[in-house]
Amino acid sequence: MYYAPHILQKQSAKAVTYDGYGRAVRDDSAGEWDTVCRCRCDRNGTKEFKTDNGGVYRPDFHIVCEGNVELEAGMRVRCLDNGEVKAEGVVYRPQTYNLLPYTEVWI
């Protein structure tokens, strides 16, 4: 990519802890942020996705990353611009391509 001024980070999953009775304990603290790659983050203008059951999803941001990055739908990511959070959200639709070495993410 020729223009990648931002940094993409993903939130690591926290380990599940259990109480004395073997029940999972809810932990609301946020996980650590791991740097993934350089990226470009743009505000979404008009793009919308229609789900199979007729719902409409309008993502706020479109992120393009260097290389084929392993991201899954439902992961929490953020985009940093000079150390400040430019965008943060849940991955809706990650796409990697066979020929071009980049990944598209909608959040």
Side-chain angles (χ1 to χ4, degrees):
M1 265 177 70
Y2 295 115
Y3 183 67
H6 307 120
I7 297 173
L8 181 69
Q9 293 183 330
K10 68 178 179 179
Q11 192 172 28
S12 60
K14 297 207 44 114
V16 177
T17 57
Y18 298 94
D19 64 2
Y21 298 107
R23 297 176 297 201
V25 177
R26 183 176 174 179
D27 186 10
D28 290 334
S29 63
E32 295 291 321
W33 289 99
D34 300 324
T35 300
V36 177
C37 63
R38 304 282 308 168
C39 68
R40 184 187 81 233
C41 178
D42 301 315
R43 190 168 280 284
N44 183 32
T46 58
K47 182 78 172 175
E48 67 182 25
F49 298 101
K50 293 185 180 173
T51 60
D52 293 336
N53 62 357
V56 176
Y57 177 75
R58 288 185 188 93
D60 292 329
F61 294 96
H62 176 230
I63 301 172
V64 180
C65 308
E66 294 178 338
N68 291 329
V69 180
E70 294 295 325
L71 295 174
E72 298 174 6
M75 292 179 95
R76 188 148 191 83
V77 296
R78 71 180 180 182
C79 198
L80 298 178
D81 183 16
N82 294 326
E84 296 182 14
V85 178
K86 178 177 181 179
E88 184 174 343
V90 178
V91 173
Y92 173 70
R93 189 175 192 184
Q95 292 179 328
T96 57
Y97 299 97
N98 293 333
L99 183 61
L100 302 172
Y102 70 90
T103 303
E104 274 188 316
V105 180
W106 298 90
I107 62 171

